[in-house]
Amino acid sequence: MKRRLLLVSNSTLYGSGFLDHCQQQILGFFGKDVKRVLFVPYALHDRDAYTRKARDKLRPLGYEVDSIHEASDPVAAVRQAEAIFIGGGNTFRLLRTLYQQEVLTEIRRRVLEDGLPYMGSSAGTNVATVSISTTNDMPIVFPPSFAAIGLVPFNINPHYQDPDPSSRHMGETREERIRQYHEEPGTPRVLGLREGSMLLVEGDRATLLGTTGARLFTRGEPAAEFSPGSDLSFLLTDAA
Amino acid sequence: MKRRLLLVSNSTLYGSGFLDHCQQQILGFFGKDVKRVLFVPYALHDRDAYTRKARDKLRPLGYEVDSIHEASDPVAAVRQAEAIFIGGGNTFRLLRTLYQQEVLTEIRRRVLEDGLPYMGSSAGTNVATVSISTTNDMPIVFPPSFAAIGLVPFNINPHYQDPDPSSRHMGETREERIRQYHEEPGTPRVLGLREGSMLLVEGDRATLLGTTGARLFTRGEPAAEFSPGSDLSFLLTDAA
Ligand SMILES: [Ca+2]
Ligand SMILES: [Ca+2]
């Protein structure tokens, strides 16, 4: 399988600018052959402003940005793309729009069959997985399904947060929310990607990049901790 | 309109037990005429344990608890109830089950036409409003719609949290999430009910109870702050 994915937890890390913390990984991922990146700004309301932001960041790195919302035929834009980057925002809005524009199947086909490099951040990482059922976002619009593009056989929780022992807030912790997900039958694994972490997938190899590590949740098993650099290739093959 | 609602932000306040912080309001709300309360435990996986918890809390206050999940005919149980209490947990699981058990319409009818007293906490408060689009929960299961029971013409965000100026977390603040909801056309007001707050609705009067206040979000307008004791009856009539 040709699949190449860079799945980033968060677009912006505290104290730095948009995509600054993963700039080296972006350069390594897209490399020198990619000249143009197709940007998908559907997760935010102001698509023009979001596209400018992506363009201002990627152009100095050597990549021209075309936005899918400026294309007369979004499916054709996916068909012709050299690389794709789906940005963060609201995951429900993003997934609903991917269905409305009927680009979901074509993105899957191009990534899995043609090896189209796929970069996602936050909501753009959620939609790369089995489903959006482990997003942190509010369900502000109703998509036709929670099923996502399905480029990997597990789910991701971006912006993963450890419990705060000093908190007096009584809403569920992130781990409790994921545990509730796993009370449902047949639910896949969930990789809790902390801010500052990202997952690189190349074919059947998966590697944890970044500085903050990740926590893996499997239905019926204790959670497991993985440090930066870990080989997570088993996530791509195990049924779990 | 006979409608009587007690909509609680959170079942448990930091440092106290289940429903302790709203015990006086529960006694005032159900009063001395109600003898039995129909409990709806659908938001949690272990319905038996949840029912025991509700029973252990409400019995010493003078109310016997019947759980809807123990009834052979859930719709008949709603039809015969003296009062109803929908507990918190996962809002998606709760709403999906209300649809699956086909009790949503009957609950609405009994509350709005018969004056059946309705108490909700957290997820049970979310489902009393226009939609669950302003829940904080993870979308662990897919309901047929986000439309909820619709006992009031606005939405509520339970467990409302003010931004934490010391946080380094880069996920959206609660206010940013609600603002993203209001980017969508035709979205109703959202009352951010802090933990420790609750809303009492009697006919066309709404009063903010508890100790922590609430923040009101209206599409296209600045947010507004309301202190405990505020008269919020305008929420029941204004289109907004
Ligand atoms: Ca988001
Ligand atoms: Ca909840």
Side-chain angles (χ1 to χ4, degrees):
Chain A
M1 193 183 285
K2 288 182 168 178
R3 171 180 58 187
R4 291 191 71 238
L5 317 172
L6 182 63
L7 303 177
V8 183
S9 171
N10 54 307
S11 317
T12 310
L13 193 62
Y14 182 81
S16 66
F18 181 65
L19 298 179
D20 281 353
H21 72 289
C22 52
Q23 182 170 311
Q24 288 312 310
Q25 288 88 347
I26 295 172
L27 285 165
F29 181 68
F30 288 140
K32 297 203 165 156
D33 291 341
V34 167
K35 301 295 179 206
R36 309 191 74 85
V37 174
L38 181 65
F39 179 57
V40 178
Y42 292 154
L44 286 189
H45 181 68
D46 189 340
R47 298 171 177 180
D48 291 335
Y50 200 11
T51 299
R52 277 194 299 277
K53 192 172 180 179
R55 201 164 264 151
D56 289 349
K57 177 65 197 176
L58 292 182
R59 189 176 274 158
L61 301 184
Y63 308 111
E64 288 299 321
V65 167
D66 302 304
S67 180
I68 196 168
H69 85 289
E70 293 167 340
S72 57
D73 182 343
V75 177
V78 173
R79 203 166 288 140
Q80 292 152 17
E82 287 177 60
I84 191 166
F85 166 35
I86 303 191
N90 183 281
T91 311
F92 295 86
R93 179 189 276 154
L94 169 59
L95 185 64
R96 189 178 70 157
T97 313
L98 291 173
Y99 277 111
Q100 280 173 340
Q101 300 294 328
E102 300 181 336
V103 292
L104 198 136
T105 309
E106 188 63 16
I107 294 173
R108 182 192 291 127
R109 192 192 67 73
R110 292 244 33 226
V111 174
L112 297 184
E113 293 180 14
D114 297 351
L116 178 76
Y118 178 107
M119 173 176 158
S121 73
S122 192
T125 286
N126 273 123
V127 297
T129 68
V130 174
S131 81
I132 65 162
S133 285
T134 51
T135 177
N136 310 305
D137 288 336
M138 263 189 190
I140 63 173
V141 297
F142 186 67
S145 166
F146 290 159
I149 307 176
L151 304 176
V152 292
F154 55 91
N155 269 4
I156 287 178
N157 177 247
H159 302 273
Y160 180 76
Q161 284 189 291
D162 297 289
D164 173 3
S166 73
S167 171
R168 299 184 160 218
H169 185 70
M170 298 298 286
E172 297 91 346
T173 65
R174 194 66 61 82
E175 181 153 351
E176 285 167 353
R177 293 171 190 277
I178 296 169
R179 190 184 47 70
Q180 288 186 338
Y181 176 58
H182 280 147
E183 287 169 350
E184 299 296 320
T187 39
R189 280 172 159 145
V190 178
L191 185 66
L193 270 185
R194 293 190 182 86
E195 296 190 348
S197 280
M198 61 211 87
L199 187 72
L200 175 67
V201 177
E202 300 185 284
D204 293 326
R205 285 186 57 89
T207 313
L208 186 61
L209 303 181
T211 54
T212 49
R215 198 164 172 81
L216 179 65
F217 302 90
T218 305
R219 186 167 198 265
E221 290 182 21
E225 190 64 35
F226 290 91
S227 50
S230 293
D231 181 344
L232 298 180
S233 304
F234 66 94
L235 289 178
L236 299 170
T237 48
D238 282 17
Chain B
M1 194 183 283
K2 287 183 171 180
R3 169 180 59 188
R4 293 191 68 235
L5 318 172
L6 182 63
L7 303 176
V8 183
S9 172
N10 54 306
S11 317
T12 309
L13 193 62
Y14 181 81
S16 65
F18 181 64
L19 298 179
D20 282 352
H21 73 287
C22 53
Q23 183 169 311
Q24 288 311 311
Q25 289 88 347
I26 294 173
L27 285 166
F29 181 67
F30 288 141
K32 299 206 165 154
D33 290 341
V34 168
K35 302 295 179 205
R36 309 192 74 86
V37 173
L38 181 66
F39 180 57
V40 178
Y42 293 154
L44 287 188
H45 181 67
D46 189 341
R47 297 170 178 180
D48 291 334
Y50 201 11
T51 299
R52 277 195 298 276
K53 191 173 181 180
R55 200 164 265 151
D56 288 348
K57 178 64 197 177
L58 292 182
R59 188 175 275 158
L61 301 182
Y63 308 112
E64 288 299 322
V65 166
D66 302 303
S67 179
I68 197 168
H69 86 289
E70 295 167 341
S72 55
D73 181 343
V75 177
V78 173
R79 202 167 288 139
Q80 291 152 17
E82 286 178 59
I84 192 167
F85 167 34
I86 303 191
N90 183 282
T91 311
F92 295 86
R93 178 188 276 156
L94 169 60
L95 186 64
R96 188 178 70 156
T97 313
L98 292 173
Y99 277 110
Q100 280 173 338
Q101 300 294 328
E102 300 182 335
V103 292
L104 199 137
T105 310
E106 187 63 18
I107 295 173
R108 182 191 291 125
R109 192 192 68 72
R110 292 241 36 223
V111 173
L112 297 183
E113 293 180 15
D114 297 349
L116 178 76
Y118 178 108
M119 174 174 158
S121 73
S122 192
T125 286
N126 272 123
V127 298
T129 68
V130 174
S131 81
I132 65 162
S133 284
T134 51
T135 178
N136 310 305
D137 288 336
M138 265 190 188
I140 62 172
V141 296
F142 186 67
S145 166
F146 291 160
I149 309 178
L151 304 176
V152 293
F154 55 91
N155 270 5
I156 287 177
N157 177 247
H159 302 272
Y160 180 75
Q161 283 189 292
D162 297 291
D164 172 4
S166 74
S167 173
R168 297 182 162 221
H169 186 70
M170 297 298 286
E172 297 92 344
T173 65
R174 194 67 60 81
E175 181 152 352
E176 284 167 352
R177 293 170 191 276
I178 296 170
R179 189 183 47 69
Q180 288 185 337
Y181 176 59
H182 280 146
E183 287 169 349
E184 300 296 320
T187 39
R189 281 172 160 147
V190 179
L191 185 65
L193 270 186
R194 294 188 183 88
E195 295 191 349
S197 281
M198 61 210 88
L199 189 70
L200 175 67
V201 176
E202 300 184 285
D204 293 327
R205 286 186 59 89
T207 313
L208 186 61
L209 303 181
T211 55
T212 48
R215 198 162 172 83
L216 180 65
F217 301 90
T218 305
R219 187 169 197 264
E221 292 182 21
E225 190 63 35
F226 290 92
S227 50
S230 292
D231 182 343
L232 299 180
S233 305
F234 66 94
L235 289 177
L236 300 170
T237 47
D238 283 17

